[in-house]
Amino acid sequence: MNGVGVIFWREMRGYFTSPYAYLIAAAFLLLAGFFFVSNLWLSVEQTPADPAAIPEFLSFGMIFFAPLLTMRMLAEETREGTMELLLTAPVSDSAIIIGKFLSAWGFYTILLGITASYQIILVNIGAFPDLGKAVAAYIGIWLYGGACLSVGLVYSALTDSQIVAGFLSMATLFLLYLGDNIGLIVADVELARLLRTLTLQGHFSTSFAVGIFRAEDVVFFAGLITAMLFIAIRIVESRRWR
Amino acid sequence: MRDDSIILTRSDIGQFASIAFALFALIAALSYFYAGEVRPHTLVLIALAALSLIAWALITPSEFVGFFTGRQARRGTVAVFSSVLVIGIISMAYLYVERQVIAYDLTETREFTLSDSTARIIERLPRDLRIIGFYSAENIAVREMDDQFWRQYEVLSAGRIQRIYIDPVEQPAVAETYGAQDGDIFIAFVDDNGEIIPQSISYVPMIDKHERDMSLAINRLLQEGSFAAFFDISHGQRSLRDTSSGGLSIAGELLGLNGWRVVEFDLQELVANDQPIPDEASVVVLSRPRQPFAPATIDAIDDYLRRGGSLFIMADPVFADSGFLLEDSAFNTYLWESWGIRALDAVVVELLPGLDNPSPLDVVSIQIFDSPITANVNLPDEPDSYAMFRLARALEISNTPPVNNGRAVLSSNMSYAETDLVALGLRDEYDFDEGEDLPGPHTLVGFAVDAETNGRIVLVGDSDFATDGQIGAPPGNAQLFFGSLNWLTEFEERITFGFQPSAIAPPTIFISPSQLDQVSFFVIFLVPGLVLLLGAGMWFYRSRR
Amino acid sequence: MIEVKELTKRYGNKTAVDRISFSAGAGEILGILGPNGAGKTSTMRMLTGFMPPTDGSATLDGFDIVADSMEVRRRVGYMPERVPLYPDMTVEEYVRFWAKLRGVRRPQKSIEAVLDRVQLLDRRRSLVRSLSKGLKQRLGLAQTLVHNPKVIILDEPTIGIDPQQVIEVRAAVRDLAHNHTVLFSTHILSEAEQVCDRVIILNQGRIVAEGTPAELRQKLYPGDSVFVQIGGVGHAKPEKTLRGINGVKQVQKLAGGYALEAVAGRDIRADVVKRIQQAGWTLLELRPVAVTLEDIFLKIVSREDAEEQAE
């Protein structure tokens, strides 16, 4: 899997040398900062600050950020013709997909790490954040984000138009997100529960976001990532026989 | 190449339509399989799928034909099949792990971990228990949140406690039998066949912490019947069966609803037969006896108190030469000498202006001391939570008592105690006579507790407040009545368990506005701004070469 | 170096490459000629490991393209028809990426060598997007060469660049033959003639001709042609006279003159001059016409089509 590393570092370099990625990063940090501060304002003289404020915002925000980070990844390779060259390089198709996924996840991890450091501010100004809850919420949103990125990657593999890829992944992520309000469209409570189990929110808002680390949630996100990457690999592979 | 990347080509739109077709068709199929019939929204989905299909065929006809003539079919089938297989394996793994219930509570306050106290409560379960939750589909997130707790009860009790969820929208008849609203929780025991025992169904009020509310409710169910209030009827007391305004029927009923056993007994007969007051009496209630207590009776009561018994005395003013608990009676002397509290032959007159009491003789709880007895009396945001006594005796609390004692309710500093009960009783005349009458404030409710034996007494200089006519008007009267019984029997304490640290009030944060501004500046302007600057610098540096 | 046997590629019921067999030795430049849709790109894509063949087999340097795909890919340098570039990378980063991906150890030396070879060393820190079209083409070539592959496959490398750069690219390809086997596709026949040692002509997925450019010319156009321009003809019709010349096989009227095709092996020039003078006309110009692969190609393709229609 030598190719994974090479692809990973190329994409990573791509993020750090592209003004586009810096714009996304700035928007990401701006919004995260906004939600962080507004939560702090609300907590003053009320409760300890909620360390899950940023993760909870991101559970919605990643619907938009994940497609922005992934929509170019494979669609542009196809459009620029470099995909043909990648597929004739001595690396497997899975190495290409995994390398690209890991770099998107890595970039997201860096952004997340910056916001996680804000907890230090909370401790220093005496806002008593529950650090255990912070750990759970950040592990959760890290996996959650990975799952969003893997969904985005599938659409990027599916089409050579960035716009189509971005739009379709946003729509899909939005559907996957709607867990807590599933009752608005489904009347049967057991069906609602089943459907909620299939959503991203169903494995975040009532577990990681409140400080509970559940093995099944980890399996869900890891499983979703695995399944999506598998499908993306199959799609890229299909270029060979389409 | 870069410039045209945002322009949609014809083939893009065709592709878009093909994917839309697949999605709509899939959702339509799923909704059909779940509903088991074609519903209107299924038809809408099918129509959308058909429209997408037509759009695809019209926009990119060659691709459309190519797709269906099967040139991709074989490879495609393998790819789809293997993907489905992978998803299947992942689903199996998920279901397996979910069954294991592996969860770690990472909160510092252990907010989601059941305490040892709950474990002890669960150990005492006489039979299996069901937690019955009513949640509609709209409440699914609340249900999932609550489920975090309920499933821990299931695990901790090794399955003896199980959770049942009922949708009140789908099964309104069931909800009706429970009297349940959406979001309500009940608990109930089940018999050996696993059928819910209807008598044991009890509502679980959800106030604050899930664990505290649930464990208290279970405990209350466990304690059912183990608290008994014994009412003496052998000295002309008020009766629990009397439903007139002077009876105690409402008080008795309320006690029953709270899980008490209520018993009327003949104290004189017990004493005559030389029998002790039974240990099962959590508290003996003397509600306005009309006759003085004989020395043998006082001995029986003393014996009972020494065994850790509790006594609740409600004594009205006596306007005659003979009656219960006259100032110099034997019983009053016993109370004074052994417990440091006694009743005076004086009636409290409240002269504080601005009260809405009908007469100065209607005394209200002006001052209360912080004790479980008055925990729900004179609540700051509930104006009706005061207690009122119509004709109340002044009490005296010894400052050098043989046991711990204290004042629970007092009249105002402007009140006094009228000692001329003849004039008051016959002519309804009262006036403050310097030197004769006793200046306020006066104790209206007093208590004493023997730390060694845990014998307890609450003495109230009035009995009317607990009668059917007045127990609910004002509501503070009932709170005083139950508060007294709670304290006497430690009812609440015995069903209350050791709190998790979370029950300790969370710290309040104080951050100065300037500090907040600094944080805002750093987080909203500085960090994103630096990133932008870095990006611009990088772009400039690279494009210049 | 390259052995292709009965290689076939079908897309559903459409056959793109139909049982072709050929081989190329070490150091040889093999041209693949054909119109668009002849199967050139499909053939190349199969040889690079991009897609598996439907039938048949091929080996590169002894490795099977299906069973040992990774080994084959390591030994192949490939430049697709559209030069694949990452516009946001610098020249050096771009080449390094491909070097690393193809497992070059200590890539720095190879990178500098290859950039020097395509004369991009002074532009190594420039962004790819800022390069001109010709430089981009050279960068594409650099990517192909960086891992020192045994086989280089170039799909129409001279398309869309200006004539000066075409000459440079052709020179570069010729230069490659010292150390590599080159498979080179084009639809410009004169280019194949200039560059290739050997040529395969593909049409509708089949090999219709194979050989060196000279062999092909010999085989299909054994005779030479001459072009004449005649003055002082008046109202007379010279075609008939010209056809009557000994050794002339065919006469074609062109703008300003006539093309005369000779019977195989005959030099007709002396006879033509003599006959024109006999007719009292003035010979303004006489020159030999070299048969190009273009002509050969047209001839083969039209013959093929005619045969197909006859069937």
Side-chain angles (χ1 to χ4, degrees):
Chain A
M1 283 308 219
N2 125 73
V4 174
V6 180
I7 302 268
F8 172 83
W9 285 114
R10 187 201 94 75
E11 294 291 335
M12 217 47 171
R13 233 185 138 84
Y15 280 127
F16 282 98
T17 54
S18 143
Y20 170 85
Y22 279 93
L23 270 179
I24 294 175
F28 181 98
L29 292 170
L30 180 77
L31 285 171
F34 176 77
F35 279 89
F36 174 78
V37 170
S38 62
N39 173 265
L40 194 57
W41 270 104
L42 289 176
S43 334
V44 167
E45 291 176 25
Q46 301 279 336
T47 53
D50 183 4
I54 290 177
E56 262 167 31
F57 151 66
L58 285 178
S59 73
F60 182 71
M62 279 309 281
I63 295 173
F64 303 97
F65 281 115
L68 286 179
L69 289 179
T70 52
M71 64 186 200
R72 289 164 57 115
M73 286 199 133
L74 292 159
E76 191 152 277
E77 299 271 12
T78 314
R79 194 174 271 264
E80 297 285 339
T82 42
M83 185 55 98
E84 193 172 340
L85 215 47
L86 276 181
L87 293 182
T88 60
V91 290
S92 61
D93 301 349
S94 39
I96 297 169
I97 294 292
I98 291 170
K100 282 178 177 281
F101 169 73
L102 288 180
S103 76
W105 207 10
F107 187 68
Y108 168 69
T109 306
I110 292 170
L111 294 184
L112 203 60
I114 294 174
T115 69
S117 70
Y118 295 171
Q119 302 299 327
I120 298 169
I121 300 176
L122 289 184
V123 173
N124 279 340
I125 62 175
F128 309 109
D130 183 335
L131 292 178
K133 187 179 173 185
V135 168
Y138 270 92
I139 291 175
I141 201 66
W142 180 65
L143 292 168
Y144 185 112
C148 291
L149 292 168
S150 69
V151 171
L153 207 58
V154 167
Y155 283 105
S156 191
L158 205 55
T159 160
D160 58 356
S161 160
Q162 285 184 40
I163 301 299
V164 174
F167 184 80
L168 286 174
S169 22
M170 276 183 207
T172 307
L173 287 175
F174 189 71
L175 280 179
L176 277 178
Y177 167 78
L178 278 184
D180 289 353
N181 302 318
I182 200 95
L184 295 177
I185 38 175
V186 183
D188 183 81
V189 69
E190 286 311 314
L191 178 59
R193 203 186 100 80
L194 182 75
L195 290 179
R196 188 176 182 275
T197 310
L198 296 174
T199 64
L200 296 165
Q201 227 183 4
H203 294 277
F204 181 74
S205 70
T206 54
S207 49
F208 284 122
V210 293
I212 301 172
F213 180 94
R214 289 195 306 189
E216 69 211 60
D217 298 331
V218 177
V219 172
F220 174 80
F221 287 125
L224 187 60
I225 291 171
T226 311
M228 288 298 129
L229 293 187
F230 187 85
I231 290 170
I233 293 166
R234 292 287 87 80
I235 292 171
V236 166
E237 199 182 62
S238 77
R239 285 175 196 283
R240 299 184 187 276
W241 46 262
R242 266 198 296 197
Chain B
M1 261 175 267
R2 191 144 305 273
D3 302 328
D4 66 6
S5 64
I6 51 166
I7 296 166
L8 288 176
T9 64
R10 191 185 171 89
S11 80
D12 287 344
I13 300 169
Q15 199 171 29
F16 189 80
S18 71
I19 294 167
F21 161 71
L23 282 177
F24 283 131
L26 184 72
I27 300 169
L30 284 178
S31 80
Y32 172 74
F33 283 123
Y34 270 109
E37 58 180 357
V38 178
R39 297 241 179 99
H41 64 260
T42 316
L43 285 176
V44 171
L45 284 167
I46 291 171
L48 284 171
L51 278 177
S52 313
L53 190 68
I54 293 167
W56 180 19
L58 288 180
I59 296 166
T60 50
S62 58
E63 283 179 27
F64 179 76
V65 173
F67 187 85
F68 285 100
T69 46
R71 84 176 191 207
Q72 302 162 317
R74 193 167 53 87
R75 290 273 201 162
T77 309
V78 172
V80 168
F81 183 75
S82 61
S83 300
V84 169
L85 199 70
V86 164
I87 292 169
I89 291 168
I90 291 168
S91 307
M92 299 288 278
Y94 174 83
L95 288 175
Y96 176 77
V97 173
E98 193 196 23
R99 296 271 151 77
Q100 306 299 305
V101 190
I102 306 167
Y104 302 97
D105 176 8
L106 298 187
T107 56
E108 283 174 355
T109 49
R110 316 292 293 149
E111 218 171 298
F112 300 98
T113 308
L114 298 185
S115 65
D116 295 344
S117 312
T118 294
R120 281 196 295 276
I121 290 170
I122 287 172
E123 273 170 26
R124 297 197 340 248
L125 284 179
R127 30 174 83 248
D128 290 358
L129 189 82
R130 296 285 178 271
I131 295 172
I132 306 139
F134 288 86
Y135 303 92
S136 69
E138 278 184 34
N139 252 336
I140 189 70
V142 179
R143 170 174 151 180
E144 289 300 295
M145 191 73 226
D146 292 354
D147 191 61
Q148 306 281 354
F149 291 96
W150 308 156
R151 80 169 180 178
Q152 286 190 64
Y153 278 90
E154 219 173 278
V155 172
L156 194 61
S157 67
R160 296 193 62 199
I161 298 179
Q162 280 176 17
R163 53 210 205 276
I164 300 170
Y165 293 118
I166 297 169
D167 183 350
V169 176
E170 203 170 79
Q171 296 175 278
V174 179
E176 185 84 8
T177 58
Y178 281 81
Q181 305 282 318
D182 198 358
D184 281 355
I185 316 287
F186 293 83
I187 50 172
F189 286 123
V190 289
D191 61 23
D192 297 337
N193 301 323
E195 299 288 328
I196 284 170
I197 302 171
Q199 294 82 2
S200 68
I201 293 172
S202 26
Y203 172 69
V204 182
M206 285 294 166
I207 298 157
D208 178 29
K209 299 282 173 194
H210 287 83
E211 186 197 357
R212 187 180 136 84
D213 294 335
M214 175 54 71
S215 293
L216 275 176
I218 294 175
N219 210 343
R220 229 175 284 132
L221 196 60
L222 288 175
Q223 297 290 351
E224 197 120 287
S226 67
F227 282 86
F230 274 52
F231 284 72
D232 177 34
I233 49 165
S234 62
H235 294 85
Q237 284 101 330
R238 296 183 188 275
S239 168
L240 291 165
R241 273 166 253 164
D242 182 357
T243 54
S244 72
S245 64
L248 293 176
S249 66
I250 293 177
E253 205 175 303
L254 286 174
L255 282 173
L257 283 175
N258 276 278
W260 288 73
R261 200 146 56 82
V262 185
V263 181
E264 286 191 336
F265 80 115
D266 189 326
L267 181 56
Q268 291 209 34
E269 193 184 303
L270 277 182
V271 172
N273 294 334
D274 212 15
Q275 284 174 340
I277 298 173
D279 279 332
E280 62 173 315
S282 312
V283 61
V284 169
V285 183
L286 305 174
S287 179
R288 196 212 57 191
R290 292 186 182 279
Q291 299 150 16
F293 277 29
T297 310
I298 297 169
D299 288 345
I301 288 172
D302 183 50
D303 168 58
Y304 167 69
L305 289 172
R306 281 178 198 285
R307 281 183 273 129
S310 300
L311 187 63
F312 188 23
I313 309 168
M314 291 176 275
D316 274 349
V318 181
F319 297 103
D321 293 340
S322 160
F324 175 67
L325 210 61
L326 284 169
E327 198 171 314
D328 51 2
S329 69
F331 194 30
N332 210 28
T333 310
Y334 161 76
L335 288 179
W336 182 251
E337 287 174 355
S338 300
W339 302 89
I341 57 175
R342 65 170 169 173
L344 299 176
D345 287 339
V347 170
V348 182
V349 180
E350 181 59 83
L351 296 174
L352 188 71
L355 296 172
D356 57 355
N357 51 342
S359 137
L361 296 174
D362 297 335
V363 188
V364 298
S365 53
I366 300 293
Q367 306 179 57
I368 58 162
F369 284 80
D370 194 18
S371 77
I373 299 171
T374 54
N376 294 313
V377 179
N378 285 14
L379 297 174
D381 45 357
E382 284 178 42
D384 281 346
S385 61
Y386 62 90
M388 181 189 282
F389 312 99
R390 307 206 160 193
L391 276 182
R393 292 176 78 163
L395 308 179
E396 188 174 3
I397 310 296
S398 169
N399 290 326
T400 54
V403 295
N404 294 328
N405 67 0
R407 301 163 174 87
V409 179
L410 282 89
S411 60
S412 81
N413 295 348
M414 292 183 70
S415 66
Y416 74 98
E418 176 66 52
T419 51
D420 188 353
L421 296 184
V422 178
L424 181 66
L426 292 180
R427 299 189 295 277
D428 199 22
E429 284 175 12
Y430 52 93
D431 201 3
F432 183 67
D433 300 313
E434 190 74 46
E436 281 184 30
D437 292 337
L438 311 166
H442 284 285
T443 305
L444 301 166
V445 180
F447 61 88
V449 54
D450 185 336
E452 277 176 39
T453 63
N454 202 27
R456 293 175 179 223
I457 296 181
V458 168
L459 176 58
V460 185
D462 178 50
S463 66
D464 302 283
F465 80 98
T467 59
D468 290 2
Q470 293 179 29
I471 192 162
N477 286 355
Q479 298 295 353
L480 180 68
F481 181 74
F482 285 106
S484 302
L485 288 175
N486 278 344
W487 178 76
L488 283 166
T489 58
E490 298 169 273
F491 179 78
E492 285 284 348
E493 282 171 47
R494 278 164 67 183
I495 66 163
T496 304
F497 53 94
F499 292 116
Q500 302 291 78
S502 60
I504 300 161
T508 309
I509 63 169
F510 295 100
I511 301 164
S512 69
S514 73
Q515 232 176 351
L516 260 180
D517 286 345
Q518 279 171 21
V519 172
S520 305
F521 173 76
F522 179 78
V523 165
I524 298 184
F525 294 100
L526 199 64
V527 174
L530 275 178
V531 168
L532 270 186
L533 216 66
L534 217 65
M538 177 65 78
W539 180 76
F540 184 71
Y541 172 69
R542 284 175 69 87
S543 62
R544 210 167 42 113
R545 295 187 303 205
Chain C
M1 190 57 62
I2 305 176
E3 293 290 337
V4 175
K5 278 191 201 112
E6 301 277 300
L7 201 61
T8 305
K9 183 70 191 175
R10 273 192 289 273
Y11 299 108
N13 47 18
K14 192 177 140 223
T15 306
V17 177
D18 195 1
R19 288 168 313 204
I20 62 168
S21 302
F22 63 87
S23 64
E28 193 177 7
I29 301 181
L30 179 65
I32 302 184
L33 281 168
N36 291 330
K40 294 179 306 229
T41 302
S42 290
T43 305
M44 292 184 151
R45 282 181 166 180
M46 283 189 278
L47 293 179
T48 54
F50 178 79
M51 58 189 190
T54 312
D55 212 348
S57 67
T59 57
L60 267 86
D61 198 20
F63 291 100
D64 187 85
I65 55 164
V66 178
D68 304 310
S69 181
M70 287 297 163
E71 290 300 322
V72 170
R73 293 189 210 177
R74 257 187 268 280
R75 284 162 176 77
V76 172
Y78 176 44
M79 185 157 83
E81 186 175 333
R82 233 178 76 213
V83 184
L85 297 171
Y86 294 114
D88 286 323
M89 283 179 135
T90 65
V91 168
E92 192 175 346
E93 281 166 2
Y94 176 80
V95 179
R96 177 172 296 120
F97 170 64
W98 292 111
K100 281 185 171 172
L101 202 60
R102 291 173 187 143
V104 177
R105 281 169 219 280
R106 300 191 196 180
Q108 194 58 37
K109 249 180 127 174
S110 323
I111 293 164
E112 280 171 23
V114 82
L115 284 179
D116 190 34
R117 188 163 177 181
V118 298
Q119 294 156 18
L120 278 171
L121 201 55
D122 54 331
R123 299 292 301 272
R124 58 202 274 185
R125 292 190 200 286
S126 305
L127 286 183
V128 170
R129 63 160 79 246
S130 70
L131 298 182
S132 69
K133 215 150 187 206
L135 294 186
K136 280 180 179 165
Q137 202 79 15
R138 282 201 229 150
L139 184 58
L141 205 56
Q143 161 276 124
T144 317
L145 300 174
V146 70
H147 55 303
N148 196 24
K150 295 203 165 160
V151 176
I152 292 171
I153 298 180
L154 307 171
D155 196 356
E156 309 241 9
T158 55
I159 256 180
I161 52 177
D162 67 51
Q164 175 60 35
Q165 288 162 340
V166 169
I167 291 166
E168 282 174 21
V169 169
R170 285 176 188 167
V173 171
R174 273 240 69 98
D175 200 32
L176 290 175
H178 298 304
N179 303 309
H180 313 273
T181 302
V182 181
L183 199 61
F184 176 95
S185 87
T186 180
H187 65 271
I188 304 165
L189 310 179
S190 58
E191 186 168 283
E193 210 171 355
Q194 283 174 36
V195 174
C196 303
D197 298 327
R198 217 144 54 78
V199 177
I200 294 169
I201 298 175
L202 279 185
N203 188 44
Q204 296 190 335
R206 268 174 291 180
I207 295 180
V208 290
E210 189 179 354
T212 64
E215 276 170 13
L216 285 178
R217 193 188 305 124
Q218 194 64 42
K219 198 158 127 197
L220 293 164
Y221 277 87
D224 285 335
S225 292
V226 292
F227 177 83
V228 289
Q229 194 178 0
I230 311 163
V233 180
H235 295 288
K237 297 234 180 243
E239 279 104 324
K240 213 177 168 186
T241 315
L242 291 173
R243 199 169 293 129
I245 300 170
N246 213 3
V248 170
K249 197 173 151 195
Q250 205 180 337
V251 176
Q252 203 178 350
K253 189 175 192 306
L254 300 172
Y258 301 87
L260 310 181
E261 194 185 318
V263 176
R266 286 277 293 266
D267 188 346
I268 55 172
R269 281 175 294 183
D271 293 336
V272 170
V273 173
K274 207 186 275 173
R275 189 72 190 85
I276 287 171
Q277 280 167 347
Q278 280 171 5
W281 301 331
T282 317
L283 182 63
L284 299 176
E285 188 185 352
L286 172 72
R287 58 179 164 86
V289 178
V291 179
T292 62
L293 278 173
E294 216 116 37
D295 305 322
I296 300 170
F297 185 73
L298 274 175
K299 200 160 180 177
I300 296 168
V301 170
S302 55
R303 199 164 64 194
E304 287 268 318
D305 289 347
E307 277 169 23
E308 205 151 276
Q309 269 163 19
E311 283 167 19

